[in-house]
Each structure stands twice: as structure tokens, then as C-alpha cells.
Amino acid sequence: MSKSITLSGVLPAAGFQRLLDAVRDAGFRTIGPRARNGAIVLDELSDVAELPVGWNDEQVAGSYRAAKGSGDRLFDYVVGPTSWKRFLYPPRRELWHAQKEGQAWVPEAPADDFEPTAFLGVRNCDIAAIRTLDRVLLDSGYREPVYDSRRSKIFIIAVSCAAPVSTCFCTSMGGGPTPTDGFDLSLVELGSGNDHRFIISSGSERGAEIVSALNLDEVVERDLDAAATQDRTSVEKINQVPAMANARSTIAATMRSDHWDEVADRCLSCANCTLVCPTCFCVDIEDTTDLSGTSVSRHQQWDSCFTMSHSYLHGGSIRKTTAARYRQWLSHKLGTWHDQFGSSGCVGCGRCVTWCPAAIDIRVELEALEESLKEMTTEEA
Amino acid sequence: MPLPMLPVPMRIRRRVKETADTFTIELEPPDGTFAFEPGQFNMLYVFGVGEVPISISGDVSRRDVLVHTIRDVGTVTHALGRLKKGDWVGVRGPYGRGWPMKIAKGRDVILAAGGIGLAPLRPAIREVLDNRDDYGRVVVFYGARTPGDLLYPKEVVKWRARLDAKVSVTVDRADRTWHGNVGVITQLVSAARTDASRTVAMVCGPEIMMHYMRIHLAKLGIADEAIYVSMERNMKCAIGRCGHCQYGGDFICKDGPVFTFAEVESRFRIRSL
Ligand SMILES: Cc1cc2nc3c(=O)[nH]c(=O)nc-3n(C[C@H](O)[C@H](O)[C@H](O)COP(=O)(O)OP(=O)(O)OC[C@H]3O[C@@H](n4cnc5c(N)ncnc54)[C@H](O)[C@@H]3O)c2cc1C
Ligand code: SF4
Ligand code: FES
């Protein structure tokens, strides 16, 4: 993937089904955005009508609202509570099982039956999140076998964001509304009604191959101008977080700040932020046995540093207080992730902000830490 | 490629009761050989119960047997304690960065263990005593709660009998049979008499013990860069991906468990990290 990006052409929105069919004919099932119980989630689809046609979302700290409007656009909303991590590194997975024969047993790993899958409507922040997970699960010592195999079976169809919300801050994390890399195909949705169309770019050979059969229209000046305007408008709408630039050093210097106790007064320690986060990788591992105790299955499942068991040592947890647990989350995500994997663990998707029942905003907390650092340094001076 | 989370079942060849709550098991590697470095650990799995990190306590030169000394403190260690000769234990490992055996060559060495901390340090002590000529002055400090809690008592007596090493043992609380030192391990430190500038110290015990040991070692003039400690955090994977053993920017399972005090000094001062 991510060789040279080529502008492939323009697909009229009326022909979107042809793209879905071409992807299916190439051997991929498709997972993409779908409206479910008032939220836009990721699930299998095969028909364009299954997309959240005309849906929009509104997201602020602690609140999410998505609803069908009168329009006909396919992607005028941003990320929902699900991330692609759910498919690449599922919430629960068997690692191995074993059957006792007498006293002896031999562990066996199950085969992974993940089919080749097209991810449709991947936002640029989520491409960055997949790259971040790659660094954790593939490039830091050994390759996580199931993630590795699933990663090689996905076909990424990205889409530019035309309707960012208040929780978006990708531009402060090195991203932006338009994907530039890391996809097989990328879409820019333009216009509506009779003028509704998609500029398609390809970022891989197989991407180019799939679109070559679609008889796309030629990209003209008018399309490029519209795409540029849409991108600029989105960039202007996306909140800037200047404090991110120094996040790592701010956090390192404020690990003993009182501010953590202040956040802890509001934080419910519910773990929502880590569960919606597209890069959190912590897992717990546990046994399930049958009644006779002769067969065992060992599973891993998503875990969170907000649980007491995460830091448990016999005698008690290391991070007993909410303050210590919130600090682990924020300082890992924005700080020590750099030490571990050479990048921030945050991509600016804003999910943790939206889905926090207490409306705690990681950006605001970082800014408060920066403030508390200034106070600390003036006191010392 | 072997799957990283798959344990290898090994049979218990021998089981020794060490103290009221501590025991040693000797495992048979299926292909007859298991290589490791002092300070490394394995993940030991009990069928249907769970898996825990346990240091390797045997001799590095004995590859035909895998030795673990375990204190029964909870679910999995208790289940390990109930296993008998001939039973099977799942093993993954060895993992982690161990004691600085190469760096210690040619220098004075202080080895200090508190409680079960002797188990992870024992391969280093043996390595040093078995290759005595490779090192300068050798000092071993060992502290336990009571005389009944002392691990490997016969072996420790042999160490103490050696004229080429200073081996001091202390207990927090003595009984009538005890004729040795009573009190905390740190009180032994001033008698080390090593050349501070060329001393390497390896310290293993509860965090609070390592904290005070470092203060006393610093008083002798030993730099934080030459003091090594073994850290402990919850561990589920031992290969840097379950996230449980994070200690600031390090994963204790793969960046440790052994660190220089200089590496962890700033983190030692952050509570509940
Ligand atoms: C690198 C390393 C080396 C160790 N070496 C030894 C050794 O040689 N001998 C020995 O007796 N003990 C050793 N320990 C401590 C040993 O791992 C714990 O005592 C053991 O995990 C407790 O598990 P449990 O199920 O019996 O206890 P419970 O209290 O029931 O614990 C429940 C779970 O919490 C986790 N947990 C609890 N305590 C610890 C702990 N201290 N460290 C890591 N995870 C923990 C485990 O996943 C455990 O299954 C070592 C720990 C580490 C990190
Ligand atoms: S420690 Fe917390 S913030 Fe870091 S990856 Fe794990 S769950 Fe996420
Ligand atoms: S034990 Fe899982 S990351 Fe270290």
C-alpha cells in the first residue's frame, strides 16, 4: 500500500453501487458505516442503501447525536463509537485451547477465519490509528500473529471529512481531513443531487485495478477546486490544540501535579475513553474451563488502565486512586507512548471526548496541565 | 514460527518445600535444554487456573533443568504449590533483561536480597561464586522476616562458609534458635567495604527495601548507574503487548525487569505509577 497516489477519476454518486460491487467481485466483503440505534457504527454492508444516506452527527464533550437529515450525501458525519480496531484486534479472542489427556495437555491455537475485508469510509484519523497499532503490534519486537494476518487481508477505502465536529483535532496530531497515504482507494465526496459525485484516488495497485473497471469520468478543474475548497473549509472548522506540541514534556513535568486529583473528582473511572480509543491496546488474559475441568480455553479481551485489576499486585492495586488511573491514561496516550513506540498514541479522532459521560476533554486537561506547569515554574522561580 | 502466547507443557521432576509458604519446583524441558540469563523470568501456567511471572532460580550452567522458587500468595501461586512430582506446568520464556553479569566482570559486586527476592538473585549469586576469579570483592546481603522464612538455608550456609566472599544474613524478628543478625537489611550495608568506584550492586526485594538499600549504597559512594534493581508489575503477556506492566515509558517485561536505579530514579518518586 501507500505507493504513489494517483487520481483515478470521478464516479457519479448514482454509480456508487458499482464501486461496492467491484470490491465484492475482487473477493472482499465490505464493512462500513451504518446507522444503528441513533449512532453511526461500523458493520457489514453490501448495498449503498445500507449506508447512512443523508445522516449528520453532532458531537461535543460528553454528547453524541446522529440523525437523518434531508440530504443525500453518504459521508457527512465523522467517526462513531466503533473503530476499526474492533475488526483487526477484536474485543475478545481465543488465544489457545487444550484438552487434558490423563495429566498431560497440549495447547492448540485456533485458526483465524477472518475473510478478506474492505473497510469503507475510513477517516484519516483512523488510518493514523491503524498505523499506530501497526507500530505496537507489528513493529516493536515481534509480530502479533492474528493482527498481522488480518492486516494483510484488508482493503482500505478512505474518505475525506467534509463535516468535522467540535471534538475533532486531527490537525494538531499531524493529520487533516483528507487522507494522503495508507489507503487502497480514497474518496472525496462532492456536491449533492444531480451534481453528487466522488473523486477517487488510488494508493495501491490493487486499488487502481478495481477502479479501472468502473469507467470513471475524467477529473476536471472544477472537481479539484471543489475538493480543495471542501478541504480548506474542514481544516478551518477543526479545533486547534497548541498544547499538543509540547504534550510530552508538559506531562513528564507534571506527573506530581495536583491537577490529577482535580480531574479525578470528575472522572468516573468508567473506561469508556479507553474502549472507544482506536489505539488502546491493553488486553487481559483469562481461562475458561468446562465443568469437568478437563478442557480449557484461554482468551484475551480488551482491558483498560481504568480498572483496578490492570495494576494489581498481590496485596492490592498500584493505581488505587482515580487520579493515578486517569494519569496513566493521559500520560500514556500523549506522553510515554513516544518513549515506547516513537509517536503519540493519540490521533485526534475525539472519540474519548465525545463518549466521556463526565464530558472530560483530553485537550482541556492537557491545557490545564500546561497551566499548572507554568504555576509550578513561577513558584519555583 | 512458534506462537508467542503458546506455553510449552513441562513435567515437574522434583518439588521441594522451602518454608511454610514457599516451595521450589524443578521442571524438565521437553527437548532437554533450557538456556537463560540470571534475572530472567518465565510465565508459568497452571491448567485452568492462570499464568504468572516467576523468575528463574536455577544455575545458568544447568540447562537440563528449570528451577523456580515460588511463594504462595494467591490464586495461581497457590495452584502451583498444589502440583506434585509428575504434574505438568505450562512454560513460556525466558523473558526480560536480567542482571548485569557482563558489566560486573572484574568489579566488586554487592548482591542484596530481601525475602523472596533471593529467588531472582540466586542465579546471579551462583554465577559470581562459581566464577569467583572473574570478580573483585564479593558481598552478599540477605534479609528475611524470621529464621523460618530463610530460603535455601543449606546453600546459604555453604556460601557463608566461603572465605572469598562476605555473606551476611539478617532477620527482622529472631527466635531462640537464631544467633545471627537481627534487624533490617540496610544496617548490614556499611560493612560492605567494596571500592565504591568499581562496585556493581544488584538489589532485589520489595520496592521499599530497594529504596532504602539505594540510600545506604549511595552513602558508600556507589552511583545510581551502578545500582541495579528488579521491578515488579502485573504481567499478562511478558512480550510487551498486554500493557499491564507499564512503568512510565518502559514495559517491565521486556525493557526490564532489571533496571539501573538511575533509569528508574525519577519514577520511584512518583506515587502509584
Ligand atoms: C518479573 C517478575 C518475577 C517474579 N519472580 C517471582 C519469583 O521468582 N517467585 C515468586 O514467588 N514470585 C515472583 N514474582 C511475583 C509473582 O508473579 C506473584 O506473586 C504472582 O503473580 C501472584 O499471583 P497469584 O495468582 O498467586 O496471586 P493473586 O493475588 O491471586 O493475583 C492475581 C493475579 O494478579 C497478578 N499478580 C499478582 N501479584 C503479582 C506480582 N507480584 N507480580 C506480577 N503479577 C502479579 C497475576 O496475574 C495474578 O494471577 C515475580 C513477579 C515478576 C513481575
Ligand atoms: S494503559 Fe490505558 S491508555 Fe495506555 S493503551 Fe492501555 S488502556 Fe490505553
Ligand atoms: S507483561 Fe504484557 S506488556 Fe509487559
Side-chain angles (χ1 to χ4, degrees), chain A residues 206-227:
Chain A
R206 48 183 197 168
E209 214 167 286
I210 284 178
V211 286
S212 68
L214 293 179
N215 293 320
L216 299 178
D217 301 337
E218 212 173 301
V219 183
V220 295
E221 202 64 25
R222 183 182 80 103
D223 301 319
L224 294 177
D225 286 347

Side-chain angles (χ1 to χ4, degrees), chain A residues 157-370:
Chain A
I157 308 173
V159 66
S160 298
C161 290
V165 295
S166 79
T167 48
C168 294
F169 59 104
C170 60
T171 49
S172 299
M173 304 314 301
T178 303
T180 53
D181 201 359
F183 52 77
D184 293 285
L185 293 176
S186 184
L187 315 176
V188 180
E189 183 174 25
L190 295 175
S192 63
N194 290 336
D195 200 24
H196 192 186
R197 64 203 190 278
F198 290 86
I199 301 181
I200 303 185
S201 308
S202 56
S204 70
E205 263 166 44
R206 48 183 197 168
E209 214 167 286
I210 284 178
V211 286
S212 68
L214 293 179
N215 293 320
L216 299 178
D217 301 337
E218 212 173 301
V219 183
V220 295
E221 202 64 25
R222 183 182 80 103
D223 301 319
L224 294 177
D225 286 347
T229 307
Q230 186 166 288
D231 180 72
R232 206 175 325 113
T233 314
S234 288
V235 168
E236 279 161 15
K237 271 205 254 172
I238 295 168
N239 283 311
Q240 287 289 333
V241 192
M244 280 297 169
N246 303 317
R248 196 181 175 187
S249 57
T250 302
I251 291 161
T254 51
M255 290 299 280
R256 296 198 286 170
S257 158
D258 295 338
H259 185 69
W260 303 110
D261 295 316
E262 198 278 311
V263 193
D265 283 342
R266 291 172 277 134
C267 175
L268 307 173
S269 218
C270 70
N272 265 16
C273 48
T274 55
L275 295 178
V276 294
C277 179
T279 68
C280 269
F281 57 85
C282 284
V283 289
D284 199 5
I285 298 170
E286 60 173 29
D287 274 18
T288 324
T289 38
D290 67 348
L291 283 176
S292 67
T294 55
S295 100
V296 67
S297 160
R298 211 152 152 75
H299 283 81
Q300 74 169 29
Q301 58 191 47
W302 291 355
D303 197 5
S304 165
C305 54
F306 280 96
T307 66
M308 283 289 248
S309 58
H310 190 277
S311 65
Y312 183 80
L313 287 186
H314 72 93
S317 294
I318 298 274
R319 300 184 202 107
K320 284 195 185 63
T321 62
T322 302
R325 296 201 289 280
Y326 187 85
R327 185 181 64 190
Q328 171 61 25
W329 141 258
L330 189 142
S331 67
H332 184 215
K333 197 94 314 196
L334 303 179
T336 50
W337 204 292
H338 287 277
D339 303 313
Q340 298 168 348
F341 305 109
S343 76
S344 175
C346 177
V347 294
C349 73
R351 285 183 178 92
C352 60
V353 181
T354 298
W355 296 96
C356 175
I360 296 172
D361 186 329
I362 193 168
R363 301 167 294 184
V364 177
E365 300 315 323
L366 180 68
E367 281 158 8
L369 285 169
E370 205 176 52

Side-chain angles (χ1 to χ4, degrees), chain B residues 1 19 41 46 71 76 80 111 113 123 127 148 181-182 186 188 245 247 272-273:
Chain B
M1 196 193 69
T19 70
F41 66 95
V46 184
R71 187 150 82 98
V76 181
L80 280 164
L111 301 128
E127 173 81 354
N181 301 303
V182 179
T186 46
L188 304 173
C245 70
Y247 185 50
S272 312
L273 187 64

